[in-house]
Amino acid sequence: MKKFSIKKHPDLLYNQLISEFGKHWIDEIELSKNTFHINVNEKFKLRDYQEKALKMFVGYFRKDFSFRERPAHLLFNMATGSGKTLIMACCILHLYKLGYRNFLFFSTSNPIIEKTKDNFLKTLSDKYLFNKSIELNGKSVKIREIENFEEANEDDINIKFTTIHKLHGDLRTPRENSVTFDSLRDLKLVLVGDEAHHFNTATNSQMTFEDILRDDKNWESTITKILNCNPENILLEYTATIDWHNPKVAEKYLPKCLMMYDLKEFRENKYSKEIKLFQYDEGIEKKDLMLNAIILNQFKQDVAAKYNINLKPVILFKANRTIEESKENFSLFQKIIRELSISDLEQLKTVLFKNQKKDYDEHGDYIDNNYLIEAFKYYEKEGFGNLIRKLKINFDESKCLNVNEYVFDGKKQSLKNFENNKSEATSQENILNSLESLNNGYRAIFAVNKLNEGWDVLNLFDIVRLYNTRDSRNNRSGSTATAEAQLIGRGARYFPFSFDNKDKHKRKFDDDITSPLRLLETLHYHSVYNSRYISELRSELFRSGLIDESKKLVNLKLKRCFRDSKMYQHGVVYSNTREPTNYGNTHIWDDIDKQFEYTLYSGLTEEKALLHESKELDIIPKEKFSLKLVDIPKNIKLDALLYTSFFEFNNLKKYITDIKSIDDFIDNYIDTLEITLKVAKKDLTEISQEDQFLAVRSLFMDIRDQLKDLITPFKGTRKFKPIQMSSVFKDKELHLEDNNPRLTNSMKDYVKNKSWYVYDSVYGTEEEKNFIEMFETIIPKLKEKYAYVKLIRNERALPIFDFKQGRRFEPDFILLLKDKDDNSLNYQFFIEPKGSHIQKFDQWKEDFLLQIKRLFRNTLIEYDINRKYKLIGLSFYSKQNEQKFKRELIDALSNFPRNEK
């Protein structure tokens, strides 16, 4: 089964729910702030896809449907680094609200167990996921680690942590104080399994469900038996790696997969680093490979420091098969650092510069070591002696860790051996799980395979493969390439940093090939050149979604005549910003439509002959009745408010800022309202409290929906500020799908000799191509009045933000003109070609452009005594309205009076 088809498979639980309740059903589900937001560490704000996963989870237990399984078994198939453990924590909070108190967490390895304990139990850990105080159902709740469920406290969240190996062993050979099947039968239990792809031995063996229940030799049977001890039990499984190609595995998990968010989607949404395969000549010595890698790693730290970003980039040196080999690598590395000299660096530099190759390979990866060359240029200027001092300090033996000595995953060592070395092994795990901490000084990690799973690290920036073997057979990737692709997936987690008010958790420089900060968004995988192995690794990375070979890289370069011009080097362009909406300065309540109406159900029915001709009759006549909210008991209004978390005080206060309490909101806002009831005549004499509640609840839902439509977290500023042109428009790198029409509409030859177009090529839509061809026809007319005319394709370089909601918008073209008669007067146009078939979907963009036009109709922005600017937005261009657009452009220029000289 092809993975790309899985998301659309009708048996996928996600798709079944959408088919049952409609594609917008999760939009109706609100995540209670009292459950999630106030109980989760404020450092970990939920991302959009995480909120979607939780809404699916909440909705699953709220809705009634025929295909619900009992006991419930759900799968979250989500990318490495996407925050599965945070979702896990939120699921536990919600299940507590549903009455569950006992949780059994299990996984395949002790490092995962220790990492999760950090997340759930250690309040001082940087990765602790909960708020320091948790409040649920109006009570303070603690998270308690227990050894067996007899220790459980009914008021708290009780979690037993164990490896699946130990759990399996305890249940097969019960001991005192251990978990037994008998002790689990009367419990309402939630099982939480991490790295769940390991729990399919029986499925892969094609065992039936009855065979699984009878078997006691594999992990999957143990899990299934525990789950089926009680029909109220729940099994939640989390993994990034499900073999959807296996028909039996697909058959098992399709009806259980509640959320799928794979690495491809994760990377395309810019939540991961980009991957670059750094290949070295086959003849390179291991010493030089290591040294080049740490120089690049150190360069990343120095680039970060230049921009006031606190970064300690970690490097991983990976051995092939044996721990002994890894120890030898560790010893060699220490010798390199101890004996490092300026002559070593000079020799490396000579070889590197001598072997400099072309800019890009066919996949768009740098193979000329550009970043490394930049690093050597930087350190040569700074002085190689200074680099040596940095390397000796940062990669001192005390800051290097060999993690191979103690391995415990239920297979590779006995429990006894692990227990003997438990304190040191646990110490290593703590070091590995806190590498991002400012108090953790480790820079280099040496390993074989221990870190392929369960290792959460954001500041891994380099992986060095210190061997050159492969194990593929029959034209299929071997286990080596597969395991290393998994390891790269762990390193691809994005290191968050703030820059220029952009989302700190997303890549920011995909389109800016000149920015040094792209280096901080890149994981480098260093290896000796081996074409077959690299091909296998690429195949695995593509299959997992970490790279996308269906995209073609194209480069846009500014023409030299424009780059060297005074206009480019000293000129400015204007943009606005967005700012949080200050509801204290608005009167959002005044904008609500306060005509509320509700029809009470009468319960009467009437039978009519369907085909009998008759006039349309209202079989149950209704009377309208006005009900004042002030006359309804307050407890009814409070109960109706509690129906949605939107009216929780802390949320409501953001938008209606002058309220002092919920009582105040009811007294001064709600009680001023009336609701028109449509009531059957027989019910006019008395309206029950239940009917009052339903009517008031309907009114509150209406108010909520109106407020949501009016609420916008941001607004675009009406003040536009100048930005240096040279910092905005630069050489660009575009990654376009093979079937993207922008590739087929390239106008490289068309624009290369056009002085009015600033880039050396255009990759645009058919509508943009039509616009450029039209624009050339008016160039002669423009040049009569303007000293220069420059058209710039705005490849996401200059954003503007609409006044109403602060939505980001990058108009496709910026047109710059300089007046001949008044050489201080400059024009900046915002232009957006748009096919007529999609104009209505982007109507807000055209509205915004025309608002800009009106705002600056008679206004100039004075930059300095010699320069002033007029900003103009135009209606959408389309081939269909071409003549109208041309008139609008010319009219916008001719209707503005120039200064008299």
Side-chain angles (χ1 to χ4, degrees):
M1 184 176 294
K2 293 181 181 179
K3 184 166 184 179
F4 70 79
S5 67
I6 287 294
K7 287 187 177 181
K8 297 180 180 178
H9 199 292
D11 292 340
L12 191 76
L13 177 58
Y14 175 88
N15 293 333
Q16 289 188 64
L17 290 168
I18 287 176
S19 177
E20 181 82 3
F21 301 115
K23 63 181 179 179
H24 297 300
W25 77 282
I26 62 170
D27 296 335
E28 301 167 6
I29 297 169
E30 294 187 30
L31 297 179
S32 169
K33 287 184 168 54
N34 283 341
T35 301
F36 301 111
H37 298 80
I38 68 169
N39 289 317
V40 171
N41 189 330
E42 61 182 14
K43 282 169 48 177
F44 302 103
K45 183 181 178 183
L46 290 172
R47 298 172 183 172
D48 50 0
Y49 63 86
Q50 292 170 329
E51 288 200 350
K52 179 180 178 182
L54 289 173
K55 286 182 176 183
M56 293 292 296
F57 183 73
V58 170
Y60 178 88
F61 289 100
R62 183 179 294 174
K63 294 280 189 180
D64 290 321
F65 46 91
S66 60
F67 49 91
R68 183 199 297 280
E69 293 184 351
R70 290 190 67 195
H73 180 180
L74 300 174
L75 171 72
F76 293 85
N77 181 201
M78 301 181 70
T80 298
S82 62
K84 293 187 293 294
T85 313
L86 178 59
I87 292 172
M88 195 185 296
C90 290
C91 289
I92 289 172
L93 292 172
H94 183 68
L95 290 174
Y96 182 95
K97 296 272 287 188
L98 298 185
Y100 288 85
R101 300 292 182 269
N102 298 307
F103 299 83
L104 175 61
F105 177 89
F106 56 92
S107 191
T108 53
S109 70
N110 203 69
I112 295 175
I113 300 297
E114 294 302 319
K115 170 189 76 73
T116 309
K117 286 183 181 180
D118 269 4
N119 296 145
F120 286 3
L121 302 173
K122 298 181 180 178
T123 56
L124 297 180
S125 168
D126 289 339
K127 297 184 179 182
Y128 182 65
L129 295 175
F130 296 101
N131 201 343
K132 289 188 177 179
S133 61
I134 299 173
E135 187 173 307
L136 292 164
N137 297 340
K139 299 184 297 186
S140 177
V141 175
K142 293 180 181 178
I143 298 177
R144 302 174 68 243
E145 180 183 7
I146 57 172
E147 283 301 315
N148 59 66
F149 291 101
E150 292 174 2
E151 303 171 15
N153 185 323
E154 185 59 28
D155 292 329
D156 294 326
I157 294 170
N158 307 282
I159 308 178
K160 176 175 174 59
F161 296 90
T162 180
T163 61
I164 184 61
H165 176 83
K166 185 175 188 306
L167 178 65
H168 178 70
D170 286 348
L171 289 168
R172 289 186 69 191
T173 54
R175 298 193 301 271
E176 187 177 355
N177 292 326
S178 67
V179 175
T180 66
F181 282 115
D182 286 339
S183 68
L184 297 176
R185 293 194 202 285
D186 297 327
L187 279 179
K188 196 166 77 167
L189 183 65
V190 179
L191 295 86
V192 182
D194 199 9
E195 302 294 348
H197 54 282
H198 290 294
F199 309 144
N200 291 307
T201 306
T203 297
N204 288 326
S205 301
Q206 301 192 15
M207 294 173 67
T208 66
F209 179 74
E210 291 73 21
D211 290 338
I212 291 173
L213 288 177
R214 283 193 295 269
D215 185 70
D216 65 351
K217 295 179 181 177
N218 67 73
W219 296 345
E220 187 176 2
S221 295
T222 297
I223 296 165
T224 305
K225 286 178 183 178
I226 298 173
L227 176 63
N228 284 275
C229 280
N230 187 328
E232 294 300 310
N233 284 352
I234 297 171
L235 170 58
L236 305 179
E237 291 192 299
Y238 301 81
T239 182
T241 314
I242 286 290
D243 185 6
W244 292 111
H245 295 272
N246 183 323
K248 284 293 181 183
V249 172
E251 183 183 352
K252 172 184 175 178
Y253 280 118
L254 278 169
K256 298 172 175 61
C257 187
L258 189 63
M259 181 66 182
M260 182 180 287
Y261 185 71
D262 59 22
L263 267 172
K264 183 175 187 293
E265 197 172 356
F266 188 59
R267 179 182 56 77
E268 288 177 347
N269 290 341
K270 302 190 176 184
Y271 285 113
S272 73
K273 300 187 188 89
E274 284 287 17
I275 312 298
K276 293 292 182 184
L277 305 182
F278 220 142
Q279 303 166 50
Y280 296 83
D281 187 81
E282 290 177 89
I284 192 169
E285 294 184 9
K286 187 181 286 189
K287 168 190 171 182
D288 293 343
L289 177 58
M290 286 178 151
L291 195 49
N292 275 323
I294 63 168
I295 289 171
L296 182 59
N297 186 266
Q298 181 60 42
F299 185 51
K300 291 173 184 178
Q301 184 176 48
D302 289 330
V303 167
K306 181 180 177 182
Y307 289 89
N308 296 316
I309 297 167
N310 197 342
L311 169 66
K312 181 202 66 178
V314 170
I315 186 169
L316 172 66
F317 293 100
K318 191 173 186 310
N320 186 13
R321 295 187 181 277
T322 69
I323 291 173
E324 194 58 39
E325 181 187 342
S326 187
K327 289 181 178 179
E328 289 173 4
N329 291 337
F330 187 89
S331 298
L332 173 61
F333 184 75
Q334 297 309 318
K335 185 173 185 292
I336 293 169
I337 296 299
R338 282 196 307 272
E339 298 176 1
L340 186 58
S341 67
I342 290 177
S343 63
D344 291 330
L345 299 180
E346 291 284 2
Q347 186 177 350
L348 268 186
K349 188 200 88 167
T350 301
V351 173
L352 183 67
F353 280 66
K354 180 181 177 182
N355 294 327
Q356 187 172 356
K357 300 177 185 177
K358 62 180 181 177
D359 284 348
Y360 302 95
D361 69 7
E362 69 274 18
H363 300 289
D365 283 329
Y366 289 99
I367 60 172
D368 67 342
N369 304 334
N370 266 1
Y371 284 130
L372 196 52
I373 286 173
E374 288 302 312
F376 269 93
K377 288 178 179 177
Y378 174 84
Y379 290 123
E380 186 174 38
K381 184 177 179 181
E382 187 182 67
F384 281 152
N386 197 35
L387 173 60
I388 289 173
R389 281 190 293 275
K390 289 179 182 178
L391 296 180
K392 285 181 179 289
I393 292 170
N394 291 328
F395 294 96
D396 178 76
E397 185 172 356
S398 65
K399 296 177 180 176
C400 300
L401 180 67
N402 189 338
V403 300
N404 300 291
E405 285 83 359
Y406 303 104
V407 180
F408 175 73
D409 64 1
K411 290 182 180 178
K412 297 182 181 176
Q413 264 194 22
S414 68
L415 181 61
K416 180 180 177 182
N417 285 343
F418 172 73
E419 292 297 339
N420 290 341
N421 301 310
K422 186 172 182 179
S423 62
E424 186 162 354
T426 302
S427 174
Q428 283 192 357
E429 286 151 12
N430 290 337
I431 290 168
L432 290 170
N433 289 333
S434 63
L435 282 169
E436 299 139 32
S437 170
L438 297 177
N439 298 321
N440 183 322
Y442 285 91
R443 283 288 294 271
I445 308 297
F446 291 77
V448 183
N449 290 319
K450 182 178 181 183
L451 303 177
N452 288 4
E453 285 187 349
W455 186 32
D456 289 337
V457 61
L458 305 180
N459 57 333
L460 177 62
F461 277 88
D462 295 272
I463 299 173
V464 189
R465 186 179 195 255
L466 293 173
Y467 50 97
N468 194 25
T469 56
R470 48 190 286 272
D471 58 4
S472 62
R473 292 180 182 176
N474 302 322
N475 295 319
R476 295 187 64 183
S477 299
S479 59
T480 299
T482 302
E484 286 168 12
Q486 288 178 337
L487 179 61
I488 289 171
R490 307 211 78 79
R493 296 171 184 231
Y494 188 75
F495 177 80
F497 62 92
S498 299
F499 185 81
D500 197 24
N501 294 320
K502 296 178 181 177
D503 188 339
K504 67 183 292 186
H505 297 286
K506 287 187 173 185
R507 293 194 309 276
K508 307 159 187 64
F509 303 99
D510 282 9
D511 300 324
D512 186 356
I513 62 175
T514 63
S515 175
L517 290 174
R518 276 173 63 107
L519 194 56
L520 308 189
E521 300 185 335
T522 307
L523 170 72
H524 283 100
Y525 185 79
H526 305 255
S527 71
V528 176
Y529 181 75
N530 181 326
S531 61
R532 284 190 172 185
Y533 172 75
I534 292 300
S535 176
E536 292 164 12
L537 183 60
R538 279 189 182 281
S539 176
E540 287 299 313
L541 292 173
F542 175 70
R543 189 175 69 83
S544 67
L546 278 168
I547 61 174
D548 188 353
E549 297 195 335
S550 66
K551 288 189 176 181
K552 181 170 181 174
L553 182 144
V554 295
N555 293 290
L556 294 178
K557 295 188 178 293
L558 290 168
K559 293 174 181 173
R560 183 173 294 279
C561 59
F562 178 68
R563 185 188 291 278
D564 293 342
S565 69
K566 183 178 178 182
M567 172 190 179
Y568 178 74
Q569 293 179 3
H570 302 290
V572 297
V573 285
Y574 279 82
S575 174
N576 68 337
T577 57
R578 69 174 190 172
E579 61 186 11
T581 302
N582 180 358
Y583 288 100
N585 296 332
T586 62
H587 300 283
I588 194 168
W589 184 260
D590 296 341
D591 295 327
I592 292 174
D593 179 2
K594 300 180 179 65
Q595 301 299 313
F596 303 106
E597 191 171 275
Y598 183 72
T599 302
L600 290 179
Y601 174 60
S602 69
L604 295 178
T605 60
E606 183 171 344
E607 184 177 69
K608 282 279 186 183
L610 180 62
L611 299 179
H612 183 72
E613 287 189 16
S614 64
K615 294 180 180 178
E616 187 176 328
L617 297 173
D618 184 355
I619 61 171
I620 307 167
K622 299 287 195 303
E623 297 284 342
K624 287 190 175 182
F625 174 76
S626 183
L627 179 64
K628 294 183 177 180
L629 271 290
V630 71
D631 295 331
I632 295 175
K634 181 171 277 190
N635 66 301
I636 292 177
K637 289 177 280 196
L638 286 170
D639 286 346
L641 274 176
L642 291 174
Y643 190 77
T644 170
S645 61
F646 180 84
F647 289 104
E648 291 172 2
F649 177 72
N650 288 338
N651 186 60
L652 195 59
K653 174 80 172 170
K654 294 177 189 173
Y655 312 113
I656 305 176
T657 56
D658 61 346
I659 59 170
K660 298 177 175 59
S661 64
I662 290 296
D663 284 339
D664 182 30
F665 174 61
I666 291 174
D667 294 342
N668 293 304
Y669 286 88
I670 299 302
D671 282 352
T672 64
L673 304 175
E674 296 182 2
I675 184 167
T676 299
L677 300 181
K678 292 175 73 175
V679 190
K681 255 186 177 179
K682 74 177 190 67
D683 294 329
L684 267 175
T685 53
E686 183 179 348
I687 298 174
S688 69
Q689 289 200 349
E690 181 181 358
D691 285 338
Q692 290 181 45
F693 169 80
L694 293 172
V696 174
R697 188 181 71 179
S698 169
L699 177 141
F700 285 153
M701 294 303 101
D702 192 346
I703 291 173
R704 179 199 65 180
D705 293 343
Q706 288 194 59
L707 284 174
K708 279 188 170 182
D709 287 340
L710 293 169
I711 287 166
T712 57
F714 296 96
K715 291 186 181 294
T717 61
R718 291 180 177 267
K719 183 174 183 179
F720 282 66
K721 294 182 179 180
I723 311 170
Q724 289 298 313
M725 193 180 303
S726 57
S727 70
V728 176
F729 300 113
K730 304 177 182 180
D731 293 347
K732 304 289 288 187
E733 182 180 274
L734 306 179
H735 298 264
L736 302 176
E737 300 281 353
D738 283 340
N739 59 356
N740 191 319
R742 292 182 64 182
L743 281 174
T744 58
N745 287 324
S746 170
M747 301 178 73
K748 190 162 190 170
D749 292 337
Y750 185 87
V751 299
K752 67 180 180 181
N753 294 319
K754 313 291 186 190
S755 61
W756 48 265
Y757 193 79
V758 305
Y759 279 105
D760 65 352
S761 187
V762 183
Y763 294 92
T765 64
E766 186 68 28
E767 212 64 56
E768 291 161 16
K769 182 179 177 182
N770 291 336
F771 166 73
I772 290 173
E773 291 172 346
M774 178 280 297
F775 185 77
E776 186 177 24
T777 66
I778 63 172
I779 288 291
K781 188 174 183 68
L782 292 175
K783 285 189 173 180
E784 290 175 7
K785 297 182 178 179
Y786 302 101
Y788 66 64
V789 177
K790 298 294 180 185
L791 184 66
I792 305 173
R793 178 66 166 87
N794 181 25
E795 290 286 356
R796 306 194 67 185
L798 185 70
I800 52 178
F801 301 88
D802 82 299
F803 301 139
K804 185 178 180 182
Q805 296 185 33
R807 288 168 289 192
R808 184 184 176 102
F809 170 34
E810 293 111 356
D812 286 333
F813 292 95
I814 305 297
L815 171 62
L816 303 176
L817 306 174
K818 186 180 184 69
D819 200 289
K820 276 185 178 179
D821 295 333
D822 180 357
N823 61 16
S824 69
L825 180 56
N826 300 270
Y827 296 85
Q828 177 180 322
F829 283 83
F830 300 102
I831 298 173
E832 177 80 358
K834 187 75 64 178
S836 56
H837 63 292
I838 57 173
Q839 286 184 7
K840 66 178 182 179
F841 298 106
D842 281 339
Q843 187 58 48
W844 69 268
K845 294 181 180 179
E846 185 174 52
D847 293 342
F848 176 37
L849 292 175
L850 296 178
Q851 285 174 333
I852 292 174
K853 182 180 179 180
R854 288 192 294 271
L855 180 64
F856 293 99
R857 187 182 303 278
N858 297 305
T859 304
L860 288 172
I861 303 175
E862 194 163 310
Y863 177 73
D864 58 30
I865 193 169
N866 296 315
R867 283 182 286 180
K868 49 187 179 288
Y869 289 81
K870 177 174 173 56
L871 307 185
I872 303 172
L874 297 174
S875 301
F876 287 155
Y877 164 86
S878 70
K879 184 71 174 174
Q880 204 171 9
N881 76 343
E882 188 169 279
Q883 294 306 315
K884 179 182 176 184
F885 178 89
K886 286 167 72 171
R887 287 195 301 273
E888 183 182 353
L889 192 157
I890 300 301
D891 288 348
L893 292 166
S894 59
N895 289 339
F896 186 79
R898 294 173 174 78
N899 287 356
E900 293 296 326
K901 293 196 79 174

